[in-house]
Amino acid sequence: MAERITDETIEYVGILAKLELSDEEKEQAKKDMTNMLNYIDKLNELDTDGVEPMSHVFPVNNVFREDVVTNGDERERILANAPAKKDGSFKVPKTVE
Amino acid sequence: MSKQYETVIGLEVHVELATKTKIFCGCSTEFGGAPNTHTCPVCTGMPGSLPVLNKQVVEYAMAVGLATNCKINQYCKFDRKNYFYPDNPQNYQISQLYLPICHDGGIEIETSAGKKVIGIHEIHMEEDAGKLVHDEWEDCSLVDFNRSGVPLIEIVSEPDMRSADEVIAYLDKLRLIIQYLGASDCKLQEGSMRADVNLSVREAGASEFGTRTEMKNLNSFKAIARAIEGERARQIELIEEGKKVIQETRRWDDNKEYSYAMRSKEDAQDYRYFPEPDLVPIVISDEWLERVKANQPELRDEKKLRYKKEYDIPEYDINILTSSKKLADIFENTIALCNKPKEVSNWLMVETMRLLKEEEKEPDDICFSPVNLAKLIGLIDEGAINRTVAKEVFEVIFREDADPEKYIEEKGLKTVNDEGALRSTIEEIVEANPQSVEDYHAGKTKAMGFLVGQTMKAMKGKADPGMVNKILLEILAE
Ligand SMILES: [Zn+2]
């Protein structure tokens, strides 16, 4: 079988996911992804003509909330999860466009 | 001979919806809270939290779609748009790609070049990102998620515009439609309406589009017009030099009047959209659609026709009075109180416009109440104050929304209707100015104006000019 996941693909996916992978990790990821694609191929053996693509397992539609404020100021609890904080904000590395 | 170029422009307009809460959680959308005081696990992307859709967002999106002649997808879904940025806590934005709520609409615009329909490709619902502030003291950035999860609709036009004029006309029309619907206040300066401009140029008559760039950071109509001119010139220069226009996102710097390529995020834009698994599909029944249709408020074009019919005021005035929902509301609410359409129109068209211009404000910034304008009109009508005093009082209404009845009482501005008091003042003035009296009798009409002026001055402006004229003529004729 032709190589389904090329080195370039792994490189590209790594960039998109912001991951720096070692050569060994790249090889492993290539194998894993190839296995996943092969597994998906199994599903292609089924005849799905006339079957609508499904996005949810349950046949549920229209789950809504009314437009009413239910949350108060939870800043301290929210910021308790921040790796770094300052002045009531999440602190992150300098980011400018 | 130099070549002729045509500019091709399409817009992506983001509008913040006027809901009380965010799109997927019960956090307030109110402006101005301290950083992160309107946040919860959902809008900060905490693991395990689940979004629940705000029904009002769907209704507003439908209303805008209907008002812009779109078809409504009665089966629509959300998708995930994946990218990393610190203002995006989930590392994806919940948006709509495959089945947006509205599609294939359009609105008619009018410019000096005539009338034209600008197509709307689609309108989709999505969530806003947080705000990144660069820290002044440390080499870091601070993230405030109060805006994260505020509902947006993105209105994507067809590439149907050919000039800055058309772009402004389109944006203005869109702004008014959405304001009239009450779906958003659409303030460019404050970011509740944002426009990204996709622009390319091609030789006049060419059938293929040129390579386009996308410009961001445009926060006023003037900046948009300048950015379009600047980018058009830049692209033509590249083409004339035999270089290529690169498809990229550029940031407009309105101070330097130049656009800069935004640092490409080291990769092509590849958002790897996929169906949002945390939200179930939206099914819009015919009944629901009909209900939203039936609840659509009167839009500007209908309002214009009605004003013409009901109030019999000039078209020019109607255009201005309906150019802002706020102004039209004040106009109608004041008429409801005093039933004097021409008089109300006059105060709005002349004094209000003059004061707005003086203070460099927009009609949307008006803060006086119809009650006080109606009272002022009533006071003039019953002769309690004259027009000169009324203008002075109106300025106070305009600035502080003062109650004119209380104000003229406190300041003692009521017109003196006591004829005897007025007559004795005028007699004194006539006596003190024999030269003017002589001039008047010699046929110099200017002398009359002088005497009226002196009387008004002595009365501190509180006399009824009609009455002053009448008494003065009587005395001079004696
Ligand atoms: Zn929230």
Side-chain angles (χ1 to χ4, degrees):
Chain A
M1 193 194 267
E3 196 181 36
R4 304 190 67 175
I5 302 287
T6 62
D7 287 341
E8 289 76 47
T9 307
I10 285 294
E11 193 71 32
Y12 180 62
V13 171
I15 288 171
L16 288 178
K18 302 258 189 260
L19 291 174
E20 263 178 60
L21 299 172
S22 67
D23 288 345
E24 295 82 62
E25 286 169 327
K26 280 180 192 165
E27 278 312 307
Q28 187 59 48
K30 254 165 86 173
K31 264 189 222 157
D32 291 346
M33 287 172 76
T34 305
N35 282 338
M36 287 177 214
L37 289 183
N38 290 341
Y39 178 67
I40 300 284
D41 280 345
K42 271 244 172 290
L43 299 177
N44 282 339
E45 291 169 16
L46 289 170
D47 178 12
T48 55
D49 279 354
V51 179
E52 281 289 307
M54 183 187 71
S55 57
H56 288 85
V57 182
F58 303 111
V60 179
N61 297 319
N62 292 3
V63 176
F64 298 122
R65 0 178 310 272
E66 294 303 316
D67 187 23
V68 176
V69 178
T70 52
N71 299 341
D73 177 4
E74 292 267 21
R75 177 160 88 177
E76 291 319 309
R77 286 176 65 200
I78 291 292
L79 282 174
N81 295 298
K85 55 190 162 183
K86 187 183 180 186
D87 301 338
S89 293
F90 291 81
K91 186 171 148 185
V92 297
K94 183 177 164 184
T95 316
V96 270
E97 268 186 312
Chain B
M1 204 184 101
S2 70
K3 287 175 186 164
Q4 294 290 309
Y5 291 92
E6 181 181 50
T7 320
V8 176
I9 307 163
L11 292 189
E12 288 165 20
V13 177
H14 286 89
V15 173
E16 267 184 10
L17 297 177
T19 52
K20 294 183 192 73
T21 62
K22 295 186 177 181
I23 183 167
F24 300 123
C25 62
C27 290
S28 168
T29 54
E30 206 178 318
F31 252 106
N36 295 299
T37 51
H38 301 160
T39 59
C40 73
V42 173
C43 56
T44 52
M46 296 294 171
S49 63
L50 280 175
V52 187
L53 180 58
N54 182 340
K55 193 175 181 183
Q56 186 62 51
V57 172
V58 183
E59 301 223 335
Y60 277 149
M62 277 158 78
V64 174
L66 290 169
T68 53
N69 310 301
C70 287
K71 299 189 181 89
I72 306 294
N73 263 330
Q74 288 181 256
Y75 183 78
C76 77
K77 288 192 274 201
F78 282 99
D79 303 290
R80 276 189 193 181
K81 177 180 181 178
N82 298 280
Y83 68 95
F84 290 97
Y85 209 71
D87 62 8
N88 164 22
Q90 300 155 137
N91 294 335
Y92 55 82
Q93 179 194 32
I94 302 180
S95 181
Q96 295 191 291
L97 178 71
Y98 301 110
L99 289 168
I101 186 159
C102 316
H103 62 102
D104 294 312
I107 52 176
E108 191 183 70
I109 58 160
E110 193 171 359
T111 61
S112 53
K115 286 185 179 173
K116 174 176 180 179
V117 173
I118 306 299
I120 289 175
H121 182 72
E122 65 168 64
I123 301 177
H124 59 257
M125 303 177 281
E126 59 185 29
E127 55 180 336
D128 205 352
K131 201 174 93 187
L132 266 177
V133 185
H134 178 57
D135 189 271
E136 302 267 344
W137 314 102
E138 262 181 272
D139 202 26
C140 69
S141 295
L142 302 176
V143 198
D144 170 9
F145 289 119
N146 281 353
R147 306 312 292 163
S148 166
V150 167
L152 300 175
I153 48 172
E154 180 174 342
I155 304 159
V156 183
S157 85
E158 299 291 352
D160 287 346
M161 288 158 272
R162 297 291 176 269
S163 66
D165 271 1
E166 289 185 2
V167 169
I168 304 296
Y170 168 78
L171 280 172
D172 204 38
K173 180 102 185 203
L174 210 52
R175 177 179 68 87
L176 280 163
I177 289 172
I178 298 169
Q179 281 181 347
Y180 270 80
L181 290 170
S184 172
D185 59 8
C186 288
K187 290 188 176 172
L188 278 165
Q189 260 86 354
E190 290 172 19
S192 58
M193 186 180 200
R194 296 163 229 162
D196 298 338
V197 174
N198 289 304
L199 185 149
S200 64
V201 297
R202 61 177 171 190
E203 265 186 61
S207 56
E208 300 274 305
F209 289 133
T211 305
R212 67 186 160 87
T213 59
E214 181 181 359
M215 267 186 303
K216 290 183 179 290
N217 194 36
L218 304 166
N219 49 22
S220 71
F221 281 171
K222 278 181 192 147
I224 289 169
R226 280 194 288 266
I228 288 170
E229 284 314 313
E231 182 60 11
R232 172 186 151 88
R234 191 190 69 89
Q235 289 191 12
I236 291 174
E237 199 177 306
L238 282 174
I239 294 167
E240 303 245 293
E241 287 170 357
K243 293 178 186 158
K244 275 205 165 106
V245 175
I246 303 163
Q247 185 168 348
E248 62 192 353
T249 303
R250 300 178 69 85
R251 187 181 178 86
W252 177 253
D253 185 329
D254 202 42
N255 294 319
K256 298 190 179 121
E257 297 203 15
Y258 193 78
S259 66
Y260 297 86
M262 284 164 77
R263 217 181 306 160
S264 73
K265 292 167 187 164
E266 80 178 293
D267 47 0
Q269 291 197 329
D270 183 344
Y271 295 122
R272 294 147 295 145
Y273 280 94
F274 62 86
E276 170 57 59
D278 286 345
L279 290 162
V280 297
I282 304 158
V283 179
I284 299 166
S285 65
D286 293 343
E287 294 77 51
W288 189 8
L289 191 58
E290 284 311 315
R291 189 151 39 80
V292 173
K293 259 186 207 167
N295 286 337
Q296 291 285 81
E298 181 186 46
L299 296 178
R300 190 188 185 197
D301 291 346
E302 300 160 291
K303 218 182 249 304
K304 280 181 174 175
L305 290 175
R306 182 167 64 83
Y307 281 11
K308 204 180 166 97
K309 219 172 83 193
E310 274 180 28
Y311 305 133
D312 182 35
I313 45 177
E315 195 146 332
Y316 176 81
D317 295 14
I318 292 178
N319 266 325
I320 292 187
L321 290 169
T322 57
S323 67
S324 127
K325 170 82 163 39
K326 182 91 191 229
L327 202 56
D329 283 348
I330 292 177
F331 178 60
E332 289 179 32
N333 293 337
T334 313
I335 292 173
L337 293 165
C338 71
N339 201 22
K340 289 201 157 30
K342 290 209 168 133
E343 187 74 352
V344 179
S345 164
N346 200 38
W347 281 104
L348 295 176
M349 292 293 301
V350 184
E351 288 302 303
T352 307
M353 287 301 153
R354 179 179 69 79
L355 291 166
L356 284 174
K357 204 173 163 194
E358 217 174 276
E359 302 195 352
E360 292 178 9
K361 284 183 174 165
E362 299 292 322
D364 286 346
D365 303 322
I366 294 175
C367 61
F368 63 81
S369 64
V371 178
N372 288 330
L373 177 54
K375 275 188 185 174
L376 182 73
I377 291 170
L379 288 167
I380 303 165
D381 209 37
E382 62 197 42
I385 50 173
N386 64 39
R387 293 213 166 252
T388 318
V389 172
K391 279 187 190 173
E392 186 189 324
V393 177
F394 181 73
E395 288 200 19
V396 190
I397 296 178
F398 179 87
R399 296 211 168 87
E400 302 157 23
D401 197 22
D403 178 338
E405 284 166 7
K406 277 192 195 146
Y407 184 79
I408 65 166
E409 200 68 51
E410 278 166 22
K411 301 275 171 182
L413 291 171
K414 260 202 164 158
T415 302
V416 177
N417 283 325
D418 178 350
E419 198 178 326
L422 190 56
R423 186 175 290 273
S424 63
T425 307
I426 295 175
E427 276 165 357
E428 279 167 36
I429 302 261
V430 167
E431 207 153 306
N433 296 283
Q435 185 61 48
S436 299
V437 176
E438 204 171 297
D439 289 350
Y440 171 76
H441 289 302
K444 291 184 185 165
T445 41
K446 264 190 188 167
M448 174 78 183
F450 174 76
L451 292 169
V452 171
Q454 289 298 305
T455 310
M456 290 306 275
K457 204 169 149 191
M459 297 297 294
K460 298 196 174 67
K462 290 182 288 181
D464 173 29
M467 202 187 272
V468 173
N469 262 309
K470 182 178 142 263
I471 298 172
L472 190 58
L473 284 171
E474 281 169 19
I475 292 173
L476 289 171
E478 276 168 11

